[in-house]
Amino acid sequence: MNIVKTKKYMALIMAQYFIFFFDISVNSFGNFTRKYVVNLLFLYTIQDFCLVIAITVLLVNILSTYIFQAGLFHLLYIRFGMTLIVSTLYLLLSFTLHTWHIMLYWSNPLWNDWTKGFHATFVIHRIVAVFYYYFYKKAVIKVADQKLYEEVDWAEKHLTLI
């Protein structure tokens, strides 16, 4: 892989890590802005937008591989399928939790009476977040692998089997 492609993927990895750490920061410290619900709404909107961008960038990287262009979708699904499933689940849970959180605190921001459903959604969101962070970071590193962007023997073996 030449130096230009290496710099390109290094820049993409850094951008994805920035989005990744922003997401972790909002999940960790977002409730501290609860007193000012408009700020919380702004943070949640940016976080959800960043999640959509992160998943889009990951998909574009996956779809630009030689393996995808050769038509070996099942190999990419085996390698990145769980990441895409967990990312989609995390995005949906984030939208749900953020909407519910804003609806609960919009009229009275310092009221602290969580319903059982909200508490369960919050806990499930945080558990899925751990899996999202693991699988997403792993996928970002895997998608930068040079073998995915050039013709290699193992891909050609799969082409001959089809």
Side-chain angles (χ1 to χ4, degrees):
M1 187 179 277
N2 63 21
I3 260 321
V4 175
K5 283 190 177 185
T6 304
K7 286 183 180 180
K8 173 189 164 194
Y9 290 112
M10 188 56 122
L12 281 173
I13 288 173
M14 289 301 178
Q16 288 173 323
Y17 278 173
F18 174 76
I19 292 171
F20 182 74
F21 288 121
F22 177 75
D23 186 63
I24 290 173
S25 299
V26 170
N27 279 344
S28 300
F29 306 113
N31 283 336
F32 292 138
T33 65
R34 189 175 76 173
K35 184 176 179 182
Y36 306 104
V37 181
V38 174
N39 293 347
L40 188 62
L41 176 64
F42 182 69
L43 273 178
Y44 283 166
T45 303
I46 292 173
Q47 182 184 17
D48 292 340
F49 178 74
C50 285
L51 283 173
V52 170
I53 294 297
I55 292 170
T56 303
V57 167
L58 184 64
L59 277 172
V60 167
N61 285 338
I62 290 171
L63 299 180
S64 68
T65 61
Y66 170 76
I67 307 300
F68 180 80
Q69 293 169 0
L72 300 171
F73 308 117
H74 66 283
L75 292 178
L76 288 174
Y77 184 74
I78 290 168
R79 194 171 251 198
F80 298 107
M82 187 56 110
T83 301
L84 296 175
I85 292 169
V86 170
S87 296
T88 305
L89 179 63
Y90 180 66
L91 180 65
L92 292 174
L93 281 170
S94 292
F95 283 155
T96 304
L97 184 70
H98 295 162
T99 304
W100 200 347
H101 197 205
I102 293 298
M103 286 174 45
L104 277 176
Y105 292 116
W106 190 261
S107 61
N108 192 1
L110 298 178
W111 181 62
N112 197 20
D113 188 25
W114 286 10
T115 63
K116 289 180 182 179
F118 181 77
H119 193 77
T121 305
F122 183 84
V123 169
I124 291 169
H125 177 264
R126 294 305 195 246
I127 290 170
V128 171
V130 172
F131 289 105
Y132 166 74
Y133 298 145
Y134 171 75
F135 284 112
Y136 187 80
K137 183 178 177 189
K138 187 176 165 184
V140 165
I141 292 170
K142 277 184 179 180
V143 83
D145 187 9
Q146 160 181 358
K147 291 189 300 187
L148 294 175
Y149 298 95
E150 56 190 32
E151 295 182 33
V152 288
D153 293 336
W154 64 270
E156 289 175 5
K157 286 180 188 175
H158 285 286
L159 279 175
T160 58
L161 293 176
I162 295 176

